[in-house]
Amino acid sequence: ASQRLQLMDFNPKTNRGIVRCGHTQVHSFLSALVFVRSVGEVHVRPCSLLVSGSISKLKALVGNGF
């Protein structure tokens, strides 16, 4: 099954972003995130900090600088 993922926002100062996915794909996305080791030539170690039902609630939780 395919997942519709979207990078909704990214803050290069904090290296944090907001990824949007369907509520039925949250667990699959978090499981797949464990296996990401690089983006292009850059080594990364992604982790999930919060999960929310709406992007506006998530932005309210983390503030402007997320």
Side-chain angles (χ1 to χ4, degrees):
S2 65
Q3 294 186 17
R4 291 185 48 182
L5 301 174
Q6 292 178 301
L7 181 62
M8 299 301 292
D9 207 347
F10 181 74
N11 185 335
K13 291 180 182 177
T14 61
N15 285 329
R16 293 183 180 177
I18 296 174
V19 176
R20 179 181 182 190
C21 70
H23 71 280
T24 58
Q25 287 94 22
V26 172
H27 294 293
S28 297
F29 171 70
L30 294 176
S31 298
L33 194 62
V34 172
F35 297 105
V36 176
R37 297 286 182 240
S38 64
V39 176
E41 297 293 322
V42 179
H43 293 285
V44 297
R45 189 179 62 171
C47 62
S48 173
L49 300 178
L50 294 169
V51 175
S52 176
S54 71
I55 292 176
S56 59
K57 279 175 67 175
L58 184 63
K59 286 185 176 182
L61 283 171
V62 297
N64 292 334
F66 73 91

